[in-house]
C-alpha cells in the first residue's frame, strides 16, 4: 500500500504560508459556517502551523480558542508569542472578551470550533496524509500492544514508522511520553506533517473512543482501521455517559478507513462487522482457528518464555499459506493482538520473514514482559493490567499458560479514584492466585496502609495474602518467596507496567520500576 503513493510525492521540508481565506474555504467545504473578522489586518495573517495551547505558540501560528477551561488570557499570551490570527466559536460574549485582549487581531469565527480546527489542520499542514499510510487501532484493550507489534514488524522490514498512542509519541522530529492516547486535531496533523518531513511512510496510531467522539481524528484517512474488542470501560461523567455512547464512538472508525480489520472472536462482533461494511474492504482475524477468518491462528501454545502459533493467511483466498510464529511475550490474548498486527503488515505488503523477526523481538513497555531465572524456576511477568476486565483476562490466561505453577500476584489500588477496584481486584485475583501481596500503587492523598487494608478485607476467605507498603520491598519479597518455594512459580507484578513514578500526595517522585527490580534480582 505505502510505496505506490509515497514515492510519487516530492520531499517537503518547510510549511508554506496559508491565507485565512483558504482556511475559510476548507471550513465551509466541511459543512461548518465560518466568516473572517478584522479583514483589514489579514494581509499580515499568513498562517504557518497552528496550536490549541498558548504555551506552544510559534510565530505565525493560528491559535485556536476553545475548551471548557479556556481563558481570554490564553489568547493574549498567544498573540504575545507571535500568533498571527485566531479561530474561535460564534459566541457573542466570547467574541467581545477576545476583542478586548486582542484588539483588531484577524480571526475566523466558526459555528463549530472543534470541527473547524480539524478541517483547517490538513490545509495548514499541507495534506501530509497523501504521503503516508496511516493505520488506526481501536479497542478497549490491546491498542498499544498491536501498535508496538506492527512497529516492530515494519522496522524488521526496513521501514521506520511513526507511532502515536498512550505510551509515546514519535514522529521522527518530536519524541515524548504521550499526554493523551489521541491528541487534538492540530497536534495530530503536526505529527503527520513531521512524519512526512522526516521521510517516513507510515503512521501507526491508537485511536481512542474520545478521539473519535470529539472529532480529534476527523478527516484523517486511514489506510487500515483495526477494531480489536469492546468491553465496559471509560464510562464516567467525563468520558462516555453510557456503554452505547462508548461503543458507537468506537464504531465511527469505519467511517474513515479503506480496509477494516476486525477480530471476529470479540464480544459484539456481529455489530462490529455490520458497521465495518462502510469500509471498502473487510479483513477478519480469529485466534480460534476458524475457517471464516482471513487470518486465523492454530495451535497457540506457551513455552513459558514465548508464545507460539501457526497463522493461516487467506488474504489471497486462492492461495492460502501457513506460517509458524513465535512471540516473545506472555498472555494468550496476545495472539489476538499479533493476528491484528500480522493482518496490517500483510495489507501493507510486508512478507513473513519480516513479520516473524518483528514479532520474535517485540517489546511492549510494561505489557506482559517476562523476566526469568536461568533455570526458569521463577518466571516474573510485568503487566499493566489494573482493572477487573484486564485482571480477569490476565489471570485466566496465566492459569492456562503456566499449569502447575504457583501463582504469586502483587498489586495495589490507586488513591482517590476507581474505588470499586478495591473490591473487584482481590475477588478476581483470589480465584487464581496462591499468594497475593498488596502494596503501593499511586496512593495520591490516601494512606497506602488504608488502601491495602481495604484490599485485604475484600480478599476471599482462605486466600493467603500479605501487606508490604513499600513497593520495592514487596517486589523483592514476592521474588524471594517464589525462589524459596519447592514448586515452580509465576510472579505477576501488576498495574504499574514499566512506570518509574509513584503519585504520592501532589508529588510524583521517581521510583525503580517493577521491571527494573525484577531484572536486577532475577536476571542480573
Ligand atoms: C481537562 C478536560 O477534561 N479536557 C477535555 C475537554 O477539553 P477542552 O477542549 O474543553 O479543553 P480544556 O482541557 O478545558 O482546555 C482548554 C484549552 O485551553 C488551552 N490552554 C490551557 C492552558 C494554557 O495555559 N493555555 C491554553 O491555551 C488548552 O490547550 C485547551 O485547548 O473537552 C474535550 C472534548 O470536548 C476532551 O477531549 C478533553 O479531554 C481531555 C483532553 C482528556 O484527558 N480526556 C480523556 C478522558 C481522554 O480523552 N482520554 C482518551 C483515552 C481514553 C479512551 O480510550 O477513550 C485519550 O484519547 O487520551
Ligand atoms: N487483546 C487483549 N484482550 C484483553 N486484554 C488485553 C489484550 N491486549 C492487552 N490486554 C491487557 O490490557 C493491558 C493493556 O494493554 P495495551 O496497553 O496494549 O491496551 P490499550 O488498549 O492500549 O489500553 P489503554 O487504553 O488502557 O492504554 C495489558 O497489560 C494486558 O493486561
Amino acid at each position: 500500500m505505502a510505496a505506490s503513493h509515497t514515492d510519487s510525492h516530492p520531499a517537503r521540508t518547510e510549511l508554506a504560508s496559508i491565507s485565512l481565506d483558504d482556511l475559510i474555504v476548507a471550513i465551509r467545504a466541511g459543512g461548518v459556517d465560518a466568516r473572517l473578522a478584522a479583514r483589514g489586518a489579514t494581509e499580515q495573517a499568513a498562517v504557518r502551523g497552528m496550536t490549541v495551547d498558548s504555551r506552544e505558540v510559534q510565530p505565525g501560528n493560528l491559535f485556536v480558542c476553545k475548551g471548557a477551561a479556556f481563558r481570554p488570557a490564553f489568547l493574549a499570551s498567544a498573540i504575545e508569542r507571535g500568533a498571527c490570527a485566531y479561530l474561535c466559536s460564534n459566541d457573542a460574549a466570547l467574541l467581545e472578551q477576545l476583542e478586548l485582549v486582542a484588539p483588531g487581531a484577524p480571526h475566523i469565527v466558526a459555528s463549530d470550533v472543534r470541527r473547524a480546527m480539524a478541517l483547517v489542520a490538513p490545509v495548514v499542514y499541507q495534506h501530509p496524509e497523501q504521503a503516508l499510510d496511516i493505520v488506526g487501532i481501536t479497542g478497549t484493550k490491546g491498542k498499544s500492544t498491536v501498535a508496538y507489534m506492527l512497529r516492530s514488524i515494519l522496522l524488521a522490514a526496513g521501514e521506520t514508522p511513526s507511532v502515536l498512542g498512550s505510551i509515546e509519541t514519535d514522529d521522527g522530529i518530536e519524541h515524548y511520553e504521550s499526554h493523551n492516547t489521541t491528541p487534538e486535531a492540530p497536534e495530530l496533523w503536526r505529527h503527520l506533517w513531521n512524519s512526512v518531513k522526516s521521510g517516513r511512510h507510515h503512521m501507526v496510531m491508537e485511536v481512542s473512543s474520545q478521539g473519535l467522539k470529539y472529532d480529534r481524528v476527523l478527516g484523517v484517512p486511514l489506510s487500515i482501521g483495526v477494531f480489536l474488542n469492546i468491553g465496559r470501560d471509560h464510562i464516567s461523567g467525563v468520558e462516555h455517559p453510557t456503554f452505547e455512547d462508548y461503543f458507537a464512538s468506537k464504531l465511527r472508525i469505519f467511517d474513515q478507513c479503506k480496509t477494516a480489520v476486525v477480530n471476529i472472536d470479540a464480544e459484539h462482533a456481529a455489530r462490529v462487522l455490520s458497521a465495518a461494511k462502510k469500509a471498502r474492504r473487510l479483513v477478519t482475524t480469529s485466534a480460534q482457528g476458524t475457517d471464516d477468518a482471513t487470518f486465523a491462528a492454530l495451535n497457540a501454545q506457551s513455552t513459558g518464555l514465548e508464545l507460539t502459533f501457526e497463522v493461516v493467511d487467506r488474504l489471497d483466498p486462492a492461495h492460502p499459506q501457513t506460517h509458524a510464529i513465535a512471540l516473545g511475550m506472555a498472555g494468550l490474548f496476545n495472539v489476538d493482538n499479533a493476528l491484528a498486527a500480522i493482518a496490517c503488515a500483510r495489507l501493507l505488503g510486508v512478507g513473513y520473514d519480516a513479520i516473524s523477526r518483528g514479532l520474535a523481538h517485540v517489546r511492549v513497555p510494561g505489557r506482559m514482559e517476562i523476566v526469568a531465572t536461568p533455570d526458569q524456576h521463577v518466571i516474573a511477568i510485568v503487566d499493566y493490567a489494573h482493572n477487573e476486565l484486564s485482571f480477569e483476562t490476565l489471570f485466566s490466561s496465566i492459569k492456562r499458560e503456566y499449569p502447575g505453577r504457583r501463582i504469586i500476584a502483587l498489586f495495589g489500588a490507586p488513591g482517590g479514584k476507581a474505588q470499586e477496584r478495591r473490591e473487584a481486584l482481590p475477588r478476581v485475583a483470589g480465584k487464581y492466585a496462591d499468594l497475593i501481596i498488596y502494596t503501593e500503587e499511586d496512593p495520591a492523598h490516601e494512606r497506602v496502609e488504608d488502601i491495602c487494608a481495604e484490599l485485604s478485607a475484600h480478599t476471599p476467605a482462605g486466600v493467603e495474602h500479605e501487606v508490604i507498603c513499600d513497593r520495592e520491598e514487596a517486589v523483592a519479597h514476592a521474588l524471594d518467596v517464589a525462589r524459596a518455594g519447592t514448586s515452580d512459580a509465576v510472579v505477576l507484578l501488576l498495574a504499574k507496567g514499566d512506570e518509574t513514578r509513584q503519585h504520592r500526595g501532589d508529588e510524583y517522585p521517581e521510583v525503580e520500576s517493577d521491571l527494573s527490580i525484577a531484572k536486577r534480582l532475577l536476571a542480573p
Side-chain angles (χ1 to χ4, degrees):
M1 266 183 195
S4 55
H5 60 208
T6 305
D7 293 347
S8 61
H9 233 271
R12 287 178 287 172
T13 50
E14 287 309 322
L15 277 180
S17 298
I18 310 286
S19 75
L20 293 181
D21 284 326
D22 284 346
L23 299 185
I24 298 265
V25 170
I27 299 173
R28 289 185 183 150
V32 173
D33 282 344
R35 69 184 160 81
L36 191 55
R39 178 166 280 279
T42 57
E43 294 78 54
Q44 294 100 53
V47 170
R48 230 184 250 256
M50 66 186 289
T51 178
V52 298
D53 193 331
S54 58
R55 294 161 292 194
E56 291 179 4
V57 169
Q58 304 283 330
N61 278 181
L62 173 74
F63 178 62
V64 185
C65 303
K66 63 95 193 155
F70 178 79
R71 301 284 167 270
F74 300 158
L75 173 61
S77 131
I79 298 279
E80 219 172 271
R81 292 177 64 100
C84 68
Y86 63 94
L87 168 65
C88 64
S89 60
N90 193 10
D91 168 332
L94 175 74
L95 284 168
E96 211 170 293
Q97 288 176 338
L98 298 183
E99 186 57 33
L100 280 178
V101 296
H107 55 284
I108 297 173
V109 182
S111 56
D112 180 337
V113 72
R114 290 196 69 79
R115 286 182 80 82
M117 71 180 182
L119 290 166
V120 298
V123 180
V124 169
Y125 289 104
Q126 294 172 50
H127 288 288
E129 81 286 2
Q130 292 172 1
L132 290 169
D133 266 318
I134 308 173
V135 179
I137 303 156
T138 202
T140 302
K141 284 291 155 217
K143 297 183 291 297
S144 303
T145 306
V146 174
Y148 275 73
M149 286 176 171
L150 182 54
R151 170 158 81 173
S152 185
I153 293 171
L154 288 169
L155 284 169
E159 293 285 344
T160 307
S162 288
V163 171
L164 238 169
S166 54
I167 303 178
E168 71 182 301
T169 298
D170 171 14
D171 64 18
I173 290 173
E174 295 176 56
H175 192 174
Y176 55 83
E177 227 175 86
S178 300
H179 315 299
N180 280 107
T181 305
T182 308
E184 292 283 25
E187 205 183 308
L188 170 50
W189 284 94
R190 189 181 76 236
H191 295 310
L192 295 174
W193 157 251
N194 283 345
S195 303
V196 173
K197 198 169 157 181
S198 48
R200 295 183 170 186
H201 302 152
H202 303 90
M203 166 61 84
V204 179
M205 59 179 291
E206 298 179 40
V207 183
S208 70
S209 53
Q210 294 285 303
L212 288 156
K213 178 171 175 169
Y214 291 110
D215 292 328
R216 294 182 204 160
V217 288
L218 180 81
V220 177
L222 302 175
S223 301
I224 306 171
V226 179
F227 199 108
L228 288 171
N229 48 43
I230 179 102
R232 284 188 74 82
D233 206 359
H234 298 296
I235 299 164
S236 73
V238 288
E239 293 175 276
H240 301 279
T242 59
F243 176 71
E244 178 51 34
D245 186 72
Y246 176 52
F247 197 174
S249 300
K250 278 211 180 294
L251 291 176
R252 285 177 61 179
I253 195 167
F254 298 124
D255 294 341
Q256 58 198 95
C257 67
K258 270 194 219 148
T259 300
V261 172
V262 174
N263 168 15
I264 55 174
D265 301 337
E267 269 193 74
H268 306 286
R271 182 165 169 200
V272 178
L273 285 170
S274 163
K277 285 183 191 143
K278 286 185 197 158
R280 266 187 248 159
R281 184 178 185 189
L282 172 66
V283 162
T284 55
T285 66
S286 168
Q288 326 234 315
T290 154
D291 291 348
D292 297 340
T294 324
F295 291 87
L298 297 174
N299 304 322
Q301 297 178 26
S302 166
T303 65
L305 299 183
E306 64 177 15
L307 291 170
T308 58
F309 65 94
E310 281 155 33
V311 57
V312 183
D313 174 338
R314 303 185 185 92
L315 198 56
D316 175 359
H319 301 98
Q321 32 177 321
T322 302
H323 297 270
I325 301 289
L327 189 61
M329 295 175 78
L332 283 166
F333 50 81
N334 276 317
V335 176
D336 291 12
N337 297 335
L339 282 175
I342 293 171
C344 293
R346 294 290 295 133
L347 286 163
L348 294 169
V350 179
Y352 275 95
D353 179 40
I355 290 175
S356 303
R357 279 185 289 120
L359 289 178
H361 299 120
V362 66
R363 174 182 175 239
V364 189
R367 271 71 172 170
M368 300 309 282
E369 295 205 67
I370 300 173
V371 186
T373 51
D375 60 359
Q376 291 182 36
H377 176 53
V378 179
I379 294 178
I381 295 175
V382 176
D383 189 56
Y384 195 55
H386 55 258
N387 59 20
E388 183 172 3
L389 202 69
S390 46
F391 259 48
E392 192 60 62
T393 313
L394 170 76
F395 277 96
S396 56
S397 185
I398 292 296
K399 194 81 187 171
R400 279 191 291 147
E401 276 168 73
Y402 299 93
R405 276 189 185 253
R406 189 171 180 216
I407 299 179
I408 299 173
L410 175 146
F411 57 91
K417 66 175 185 185
Q419 191 72 25
E420 72 285 357
R421 285 189 202 158
R422 298 180 197 182
E423 179 278 319
L425 302 190
R427 173 166 44 75
V428 177
K431 283 196 287 180
Y432 303 94
D434 300 291
L435 168 64
I436 304 177
I437 297 171
Y438 296 120
T439 190
E440 182 178 34
E441 185 191 316
D442 299 314
H445 293 278
E446 291 190 61
R447 278 162 31 101
V448 186
E449 292 83 346
D450 296 342
I451 297 174
C452 290
E454 275 191 65
L455 291 162
S456 295
H458 287 111
T459 309
V463 177
E464 199 185 331
H465 60 282
E466 297 176 33
V467 171
I468 301 178
C469 292
D470 181 298
R471 190 159 179 125
E472 192 179 328
E473 211 179 290
V475 172
H477 177 69
L479 299 175
D480 277 349
V481 172
R483 228 197 262 268
T486 47
S487 52
D488 290 343
V490 56
V491 181
L492 303 175
L493 305 172
L494 301 179
K496 290 292 284 176
D498 70 344
E499 286 176 13
T500 54
R501 291 185 186 278
Q502 280 284 355
H503 182 186
R504 295 179 188 145
D506 291 324
E507 311 280 309
Y508 291 83
E510 287 242 11
V511 292
E512 187 177 3
S513 71
D514 292 350
L515 185 67
S516 160
I517 303 171
K519 280 187 180 162
R520 177 163 58 75
L521 298 178
L522 288 188

